[in-house]
Amino acid sequence: MIILEEILDTVNHSRERRNSFANLILDNPEVLPDLLTICARVDDEISCRASWGLEFLCKNNLEAILPFLDQLIPLVPNVYQHPAVRPMAKIFEYLITSYYQKKSPKVREYLTPQHRQTITEICFDWLITDQKVAAKAYSMTSLYLLGTEFDWVHPELKITLENNYSSGSAAYKARSRMILKKLK
């Protein structure tokens, strides 16, 4: 894990660095459990960089994370630093979109009903707590899709979006309008 930490010290917001790191993980999948362990160190700034790399990994090859969902999903509720919450919300959006819209057989095999229920709860938490707009927007999309399976989600999502609309940023309002339109 020491070498992984040294590499993570070079990862920054640049797309090039995050993509390079994701490719390194794809080429060395045996370090994925160590990467998740670093993501779980939520008080440490390195967990944010690990989360950025994990997001890019999932963007490039979502199937790589599937065997590790039992490690990933339970750690996410503990993530609280905004730079780490956003990539976790995006990973959930990738998983949920792949499950419900793309109907990926692999994702449908690995993403259990319990995983989907837990993701639903986490996304609602992000939606109603003090999070940056990106995490909220990704959560709205995930919750809309999850609501096609869980009957209670769409009514709760609609109420939450309507109640928070007036205090939301322009980006929040734009995504809210899009989701509310679909809920009509």
Side-chain angles (χ1 to χ4, degrees):
M1 196 169 359
I2 300 298
I3 294 172
L4 193 56
E5 288 185 28
E6 289 172 8
I7 295 167
L8 277 168
D9 282 337
T10 69
V11 174
N12 59 26
H13 277 295
S14 79
R15 195 172 287 278
E16 178 185 333
R17 289 276 172 92
R18 289 183 291 167
N19 208 27
S20 173
F21 181 74
N23 287 331
L24 174 78
I25 301 302
L26 283 172
D27 293 341
N28 301 281
E30 69 278 1
V31 301
L32 198 45
D34 294 336
L35 179 62
L36 289 167
T37 299
I38 295 171
C39 288
R41 291 171 28 197
V42 297
D43 296 326
D44 193 336
E45 184 185 317
I46 197 169
S47 72
C48 298
R49 291 192 298 276
S51 297
W52 301 339
L54 187 63
E55 176 199 345
F56 260 61
L57 170 74
C58 292
K59 178 182 179 186
N60 294 335
N61 182 357
L62 186 59
E63 290 185 5
I65 195 66
L66 296 178
F68 303 97
L69 291 178
D70 288 338
Q71 189 178 350
L72 171 68
I73 293 172
L75 80 81
V76 175
N78 300 318
V79 174
Y80 67 91
Q81 294 188 59
H82 293 300
V85 170
R86 191 208 58 75
M88 293 300 179
K90 187 63 177 175
I91 291 167
F92 281 178
E93 186 185 59
Y94 289 147
L95 285 166
I96 297 304
T97 300
S98 185
Y99 186 92
Y100 291 101
Q101 284 184 333
K102 297 177 183 171
K103 299 190 185 315
S104 161
K106 274 278 203 205
V107 173
R108 292 178 80 85
E109 175 187 341
Y110 279 90
L111 196 64
T112 68
Q114 183 56 52
H115 291 145
R116 297 191 304 278
Q117 184 64 42
T118 302
I119 290 172
T120 302
E121 294 165 8
I122 294 167
C123 287
F124 265 116
D125 284 345
W126 286 332
L127 205 53
I128 63 173
T129 59
D130 182 27
Q131 300 296 332
K132 303 256 183 186
V133 71
K136 289 178 182 273
Y138 301 146
S139 294
M140 286 179 211
T141 300
S142 295
L143 288 168
Y144 173 74
L145 293 170
L146 285 156
T148 63
E149 177 180 2
F150 302 114
D151 293 343
W152 64 272
V153 171
H154 282 171
E156 288 297 318
L157 179 58
K158 184 175 188 241
I159 290 168
T160 302
L161 295 179
E162 288 172 346
N163 288 345
N164 295 327
Y165 186 84
S166 62
S167 62
S169 67
Y172 179 93
K173 288 177 180 178
R175 181 65 66 102
S176 288
R177 278 192 306 273
M178 184 180 84
I179 298 295
L180 286 167
K181 186 176 177 181
K182 289 180 177 184
L183 289 171
K184 299 268 184 223

